[in-house]
Amino acid sequence: AFAAYGDSANVFGKATNTTGFVQYVGDGFSVLLPSKWNPSRERDFDNMIFRYEDNFDAINYFGVIAEPTTKTKISEYGTPEAVLKQVSYLLGQQAFSGETQSEGGFA
């Protein structure tokens, strides 16, 4: 019963956060993470600050990477295409290099 002045105490243990998310506050950033996700020790990249993964399926994860920069405005990064070329290593590469019978659908 550590209620602040004017607030009611959570005596009967009702859920106080019904959003399904918990806040994580880091150095210079803040994110909302799904409440059932757990911290992970894995680091996919050297500059990764933290990584959380799905409690049910560890394939789904969320990570924060810190990249030092001298830029002061988002426009200094250039066009979206130029930015994508700089960070494409984060997205992986296409492994398939053939042709399909259908274009974007099922044959």
Side-chain angles (χ1 to χ4, degrees):
F2 293 105
Y5 180 76
D7 291 341
S8 60
N10 189 8
V11 177
F12 299 107
K14 288 192 231 172
T16 57
N17 180 1
T18 58
T19 64
F21 293 90
V22 292
Q23 185 177 21
Y24 180 94
V25 179
D27 185 23
F29 68 95
S30 158
V31 295
L32 291 175
L33 296 165
S35 59
K36 294 184 179 181
W37 284 29
N38 299 321
S40 172
R41 292 183 185 174
E42 291 184 44
R43 297 292 182 257
D44 299 318
F45 304 98
D46 293 335
N47 49 357
M48 188 170 264
I49 296 174
F50 81 96
R51 183 181 194 266
Y52 270 69
E53 62 187 16
D54 191 341
N55 191 19
F56 177 73
D57 187 5
I59 298 294
N60 302 321
Y61 73 92
F62 175 81
V64 172
I65 297 174
E67 281 287 330
T69 185
T70 58
K71 296 175 177 36
T72 58
K73 293 186 275 184
I74 194 80
S75 60
E76 293 179 17
Y77 284 95
T79 65
E81 292 80 11
V83 173
L84 187 58
K85 285 181 184 177
Q86 294 173 4
V87 297
S88 63
Y89 69 95
L90 298 171
L91 306 173
Q93 294 181 352
Q94 175 61 268
F96 180 75
S97 63
E99 291 187 24
T100 63
Q101 291 180 350
S102 61
E103 194 63 38
F106 297 98

